[in-house]
Amino acid sequence: MLFAHGFGCDQGMWRFVEPSFRAGYRTVLFDHVGSGGADLACYDPQRYDSLVQYADDVLDICAELQLEQAVFVGHSVSAMIGVLAAIKQPQLFSRLVLVCPSPCYINDSDDGATGYVGGFSRGDIAGLIDFLDDNFVAWSGAMAPTIMGNPERPELGQELESSFCRTDPTCARQFARVTFLSDNRPDLALLRTPALILQASEDAIAPPCVGDYLHQALRGSTLVRMAARGHCPNLSAPQETVAAIHDYLR
């Protein structure tokens, strides 16, 4: 069972979830390049200019550890990284668990009135990226509470902010562009691996309509609407997250 963290995070974000699966699975945790304990010397901005290289990193981990028929659990952007990996080498994965996923963060129309609704206009995304480029620390402080949700538990937003600030800023700037500007909607029809979609409520990054879109686009998928609020139920509601995954894998 392979756990992949989201943007600006590291493998520690799974510390309340992963231990619940050790009895039944060989669990694997890792850090994306630029995050946690990953070797910065491996970072190449030309290679990491799309989610494809991140997916290839997942495949390299599977090859190194000789994983087959693994359950891939991906949070946020790592959900699409897992989708790309499973499309490329489907024999390596038995199930995907997509936690607060989004195939595209940008609306088809500026006001979201027509077509696909990802939650943000192009101007919104451009502003977020410009803000991050201008002052990464300030961006982290402003965005972490919004992303986390749960304002009555400010310690969660503070933890996410600290995680953002530990991420290498050069890698983070490019990963942000890759994350928020990617459009993986055309890839969804190519996926053959069964998938669980965990849709949190009041998610400012991946609203409920995105979960509905994915459920319709991914054949044989299962959609679970969580009571958990915000974009990081692996931290804010680990028991509900664990229960939903266990129920699906049964």
Side-chain angles (χ1 to χ4, degrees), residues 1 18 25 46 52 56 108 125 140 164 166 172-174 177 182 186 188 246-247 250:
M1 199 166 184
E18 176 267 337
Y25 296 87
Q46 292 185 331
V52 172
D56 285 346
D108 280 347
I125 295 297
S140 299
F164 286 165
R166 289 194 302 270
R173 290 184 181 99
Q174 181 161 356
R177 286 186 176 83
S182 290
L188 301 178
H246 270 307
D247 287 347
R250 288 194 190 102

Side-chain angles (χ1 to χ4, degrees), residues 42-64:
C42 296
Y43 180 70
D44 180 341
Q46 292 185 331
R47 290 176 62 210
Y48 288 93
D49 64 349
S50 77
L51 295 183
V52 172
Q53 182 56 52
Y54 291 93
D56 285 346
D57 286 349
V58 169
L59 297 177
D60 287 344
I61 290 170
C62 291
E64 180 68 24

Side-chain angles (χ1 to χ4, degrees), residues 16-17 20 226 233-246:
F16 300 128
V17 173
S20 298
M226 304 178 72
N234 45 339
L235 278 183
S236 63
Q239 292 181 334
E240 186 184 6
T241 303
V242 166
I245 297 173
H246 270 307

Side-chain angles (χ1 to χ4, degrees), residues 220-233:
S221 64
T222 299
L223 173 63
V224 172
R225 298 186 184 281
M226 304 178 72
R229 292 177 291 126
H231 192 59
C232 303

Side-chain angles (χ1 to χ4, degrees), residues 176-211:
R177 286 186 176 83
V178 170
T179 296
F180 289 114
L181 296 177
S182 290
D183 185 352
N184 295 110
R185 288 177 292 173
D187 301 305
L188 301 178
L190 304 176
L191 184 70
R192 298 293 179 267
T193 306
L196 168 65
I197 301 162
L198 293 183
Q199 175 66 55
S201 64
E202 300 179 33
D203 186 343
I205 302 299
C209 55
V210 173

Side-chain angles (χ1 to χ4, degrees), residues 148-171:
M148 180 59 70
N150 298 274
E152 75 286 357
R153 299 167 66 189
E155 70 279 4
L156 293 175
Q158 291 164 5
E159 177 174 347
L160 188 60
E161 178 184 352
S162 296
S163 178
F164 286 165
C165 291
R166 289 194 302 270
T167 305
D168 179 80
T170 300
C171 298

